[in-house]
């Protein structure tokens, strides 16, 4: 595919972004780059271990506060080298995004192969005003967080297709969707899977000071509802005023034709819609009743339930079933062989991603084994604590530190498990609730997701972007996402300060002050 992209290079900020892109793209291929990173971690781990680097921090272990010591582990030892070789396959097959992407693509591949996705997008294009489409993409990305990581696999590539359908640059659509899904990861109109996860860690940390303290999953709900609209507005402005003008006109070979919906396609869309409604009805029967099959033994829907554990195949089925129904009604599916063929084509298109996932998985695991991320996180927390700042300046500093640490540790819960036992009790003692501290952490954790190569799905997004521009590299993606990261951070901090000044409730029964 030959791609020529004319870019707007005017302005100091655009020159800075162009510099980031050029430098980033002069780096080796992402596969080679992750291999180099892996080797670097091995060497750095040996140096850190030789220097005896270690940290101590307090965390909850089996319900009790325990001082944990974490020491740098050298991978350049006999034991480390054995682990590198013996667990290479396990690292790959256990790479978190791998199963999510491949399983979801089974369903998405059928929906694309039968023509459902293309017909639905054309329907969207024909019925949505052009001026609203950017906001719709960003908002949909934010709302996809209810389904955990599914938005990365489903919505980000759809964002590119939607923009292409409007004769706009597909990478701008990809960036807008990625900004909503990942940069706005904590925002939502509904309670997501992240809320009970972080709430449980906050509760354990609060109980170091008050043993009976409870943190509800709805602890930050009101603020996150407001954040949904804020991030949608900022994401829309950044896309249309910074990212898309900088990309210029798309001159690649990929096209998305906007033609009227034929009778066969209309019939297919109706069948797809009815089958989706039927599927939703079945899922409600399996989840809504208090004793529903897909709930946990304790009756929970979001915590320890089969529904949450099986969310990825559920998402795949939500595409597969309407896709098959559409194909039968529109005539693109003649037999089960067609369905299997569409699945096979979807898998074959993921070859480049599989190669990238293998080396990325090794890098992430080496970083974890060496304990370098934990050491960095604890030292960052201690550094902030040592500044002796108080009030809003200290909380803003906490947000920035959380965002910085997020560049190196992708898991929101893993970082919070390290930081919460330090900051939740500390801030409780000066009058701030655990819910408020958790809120500050979530802002920092979300805003730098989109510029961290260590974020689990970063390699996936690069692979999606290369479909439209084979020259796309890590530099291209980071330079496109930096404006979102900066503006999300500024906008969210301003909302945070306003919320603090007005002393508004954070969620039902959750407040700023103790």
């Amino acid at each position: 595919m030959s791609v020529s992209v004319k870019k707007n290079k005017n302005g100091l900020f655009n020159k800075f972004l162009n510099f980031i892109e050029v430098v980033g793209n002069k780096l080796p291929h992402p596969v080679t780059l992750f291999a180099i990173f892996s080797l670097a971690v091995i060497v750095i781990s040996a140096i850190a271990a030789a220097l005896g680097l270690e940290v101590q921090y307090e965390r909850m272990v089996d319900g009790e506060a325990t001082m944990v010591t974490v020491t740098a582990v050298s991978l350049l030892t006999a034991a480390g080298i054995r682990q590198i070789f013996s667990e290479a396959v396990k690292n790959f097959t256990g790479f978190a995004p791998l199963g999510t992407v491949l399983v979801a693509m089974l369903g998405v591949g059928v929906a694309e192969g039968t023509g459902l996705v293309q017909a639905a997008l054309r329907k969207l294009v024909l019925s949505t005003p052009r001026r609203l489409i950017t906001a719709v993409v960003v908002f949909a990305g934010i709302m996809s967080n209810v389904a955990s990581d599914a938005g990365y696999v489903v919505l980000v590539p759809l964002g590119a297709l939607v923009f292409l359908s409007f004769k706009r640059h597909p990478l701008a659509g990809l960036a807008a969707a990625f900004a909503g899904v990942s940069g706005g990861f904590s925002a939502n109109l509904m309670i997501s899977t992240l809320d009970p996860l972080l709430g449980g860690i906050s509760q354990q940390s609060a109980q170091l000071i008050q043993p009976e303290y409870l943190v509800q999953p709805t602890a930050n709900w009101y603020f996150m509802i407001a954040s949904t609209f804020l991030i949608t507005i900022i994401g829309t402005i950044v896309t249309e005023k910074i990212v898309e003008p900088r990309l210029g006109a798309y001159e690649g070979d990929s096209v998305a034709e906007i033609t009227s919906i034929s009778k066969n396609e209309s019939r297919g869309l109706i069948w797809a819609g009815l089958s989706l409604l039927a599927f939703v009805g079945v899922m409600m029967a399996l989840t809504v009743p208090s004793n529903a099959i897909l709930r946990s033994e304790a009756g929970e829907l979001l915590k320890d339930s089969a529904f949450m554990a099986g969310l990825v195949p559920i998402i795949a089925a939500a595409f597969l079933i309407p896709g098959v129904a559409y194909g039968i009604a529109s005539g693109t599916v003649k037999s089960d062989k067609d369905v299997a063929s569409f699945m096979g084509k979807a898998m074959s298109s993921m070859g480049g991603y599989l190669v990238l996932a293998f080396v990325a998985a090794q890098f992430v695991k080496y970083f974890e084994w060496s304990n370098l991320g934990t050491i960095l996180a604890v030292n960052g927390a201690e550094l902030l604590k040592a500044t002796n700042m108080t009030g809003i300046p200290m909380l803003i500093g906490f947000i920035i530190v959380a965002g910085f640490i997020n560049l190196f540790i992708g898991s929101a819960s893993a970082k919070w498990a390290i930081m919460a036992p330090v900051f939740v009790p500390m801030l409780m003692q000066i009058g701030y609730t655990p819910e408020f501290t958790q809120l500050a952490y979530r802002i920092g954790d979300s805003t730098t997701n989109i510029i961290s190569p260590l974020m689990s799905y970063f390699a996936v997004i690069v692979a999606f972007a290369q479909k439209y521009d084979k020259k796309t590299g890590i530099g291209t993606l980071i330079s496109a996402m930096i404006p979102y990261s900066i503006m999300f951070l500024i906008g969210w901090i301003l909302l945070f300060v306003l919320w603090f000044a007005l002393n508004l409730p954070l969620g039902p029964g959750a407040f700023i002050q103790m």
Side-chain angles (χ1 to χ4, degrees):
M1 182 186 300
S2 174
V3 178
S4 174
V5 181
K6 297 178 181 177
K7 296 183 179 177
N8 182 352
K9 298 182 179 292
N10 296 325
L12 185 61
F13 187 58
N14 271 321
K15 289 180 180 178
F16 165 71
L17 295 179
N18 292 331
F19 172 76
I20 294 294
E21 178 178 1
V22 169
V23 172
N25 287 345
K26 283 187 179 297
L27 295 172
H29 188 280
V31 171
T32 308
L33 196 58
F34 275 112
I36 293 171
F37 285 166
S38 299
L39 292 173
V41 169
I42 293 173
V43 174
I44 293 170
S45 72
I47 296 172
L51 294 174
L53 294 184
E54 67 175 26
V55 292
Q56 288 186 326
Y57 66 99
E58 195 172 50
R59 68 178 300 172
M60 298 296 289
V61 178
D62 296 327
E64 295 185 1
T66 304
M67 187 61 69
V68 178
T69 300
V70 176
T71 305
V73 176
S74 173
L75 301 181
L76 205 56
T77 61
I81 293 171
R82 282 194 293 267
Q83 187 176 27
I84 288 171
F85 278 91
S86 63
E87 298 194 24
V89 175
K90 181 181 176 182
N91 294 344
F92 176 52
T93 58
F95 189 46
L98 183 64
T100 302
V101 171
L102 296 183
V103 173
M105 282 302 294
L106 290 173
V108 173
V110 172
E112 287 186 342
T114 59
L116 171 59
V117 171
Q118 293 86 339
L121 285 175
R122 280 167 35 224
K123 187 75 172 177
L124 174 68
V125 169
L126 293 170
S127 59
T128 304
R130 183 183 179 90
R131 67 181 181 277
L132 296 180
I133 198 63
T134 306
V136 168
V137 169
V138 177
F139 178 76
I142 296 170
M143 292 302 297
S144 73
N145 297 328
V146 172
S148 189
D149 294 342
Y152 291 106
V153 184
V154 176
L155 201 72
V156 173
L158 284 183
L161 277 174
V162 168
F163 268 50
L164 189 60
S165 298
F166 273 88
K167 305 298 182 185
R168 297 172 64 180
H169 203 297
L171 294 187
L174 180 142
F178 185 31
V181 172
S182 195
F185 191 68
S186 277
N188 214 293
L189 299 181
M190 295 180 284
I191 300 301
S192 72
T193 56
L194 187 63
D195 291 278
L197 187 63
L198 296 184
I201 297 171
S202 299
Q203 179 173 297
Q204 286 186 329
S205 301
Q207 289 175 350
L208 295 171
I209 301 295
Q210 294 185 16
E212 303 302 319
Y213 200 98
L214 299 178
V215 177
Q216 301 296 334
T218 56
N220 302 143
W221 193 21
Y222 296 160
F223 185 89
M224 292 309 166
I225 289 174
S227 298
T228 301
F229 298 103
L230 174 72
I231 296 302
T232 299
I233 293 169
I234 294 176
T236 300
I237 293 172
V238 170
T239 301
E240 296 184 347
K241 301 299 182 182
I242 300 176
V243 174
E244 195 167 11
R246 179 173 169 272
L247 288 171
Y250 178 65
E251 299 177 359
D253 299 334
S254 298
V255 294
E257 295 294 332
I258 306 178
T259 57
S260 59
I261 304 297
S262 68
K263 290 183 178 180
N264 283 346
E265 289 173 327
S266 294
R267 183 168 59 251
L269 288 173
I270 292 172
W271 277 45
L274 292 175
S275 67
L276 181 59
L277 286 175
F279 176 73
V280 170
V282 171
M283 292 308 304
M284 290 182 68
L286 294 173
T287 56
V288 172
S290 59
N291 60 345
I293 293 174
L294 294 184
R295 286 179 176 264
S296 68
E297 293 183 3
E300 296 283 343
L301 181 60
L302 297 179
K303 185 179 180 182
D304 301 324
S305 68
F307 172 71
M308 294 310 304
L311 198 56
V312 174
I314 290 172
I315 295 292
F319 280 87
L320 173 64
I321 293 171
V324 172
Y326 175 89
I328 294 173
S330 65
T332 56
V333 169
K334 306 295 184 183
S335 70
D336 61 304
K337 294 179 181 178
D338 294 324
V339 176
S341 175
F342 293 141
M343 289 182 175
K345 288 179 180 178
M347 291 297 100
S348 66
S349 68
M350 300 303 294
Y353 167 66
L354 292 177
V355 176
L356 185 57
F358 178 80
V359 289
Q362 309 309 317
F363 169 58
V364 170
K365 275 298 181 181
Y366 296 171
F367 206 75
E368 176 187 323
W369 293 342
S370 66
N371 288 332
L372 294 177
T374 302
I375 291 171
L376 180 66
V378 173
N379 283 329
E382 291 298 330
L383 178 63
L384 178 61
K385 188 176 179 180
T387 62
N388 293 320
M389 290 189 297
T390 59
I392 282 295
M394 189 274 294
L395 288 164
I396 292 175
F398 175 58
I399 291 172
I400 293 171
V401 168
F404 176 74
I405 293 173
N406 188 49
L407 295 173
F408 303 95
I409 303 179
S411 170
S413 58
K415 289 191 299 294
W416 191 224
I418 294 170
M419 300 179 73
V422 176
F423 287 101
V424 167
M426 182 179 78
L427 293 176
M428 286 176 72
Q429 293 179 71
I430 58 175
Y432 297 122
T433 63
E435 293 88 344
F436 190 51
T437 307
Q438 174 182 289
L439 175 62
Y441 166 76
R442 295 178 73 171
I443 293 173
D445 175 66
S446 291
T447 51
T448 54
N449 278 337
I450 49 182
I451 58 172
S452 171
L454 276 174
M455 196 273 291
S456 297
Y457 285 89
F458 198 85
V460 180
I461 309 305
V462 172
F464 286 148
Q466 288 175 342
K467 177 180 178 181
Y468 300 99
D469 184 350
K470 289 184 177 180
K471 296 180 181 178
T472 295
I474 290 176
T476 305
L477 187 56
I478 291 179
S479 66
M481 302 315 297
I482 281 177
Y484 294 104
S485 186
I486 293 173
M487 297 309 297
F488 284 177
L489 182 61
I490 293 172
W492 238 332
I493 286 177
L494 291 175
L495 180 63
F496 180 80
V497 172
L498 178 63
W499 215 274
F500 178 84
L502 297 177
N503 198 27
L504 299 174
L506 307 175
F511 303 95
I512 295 173
Q513 304 288 344
M514 290 289 294

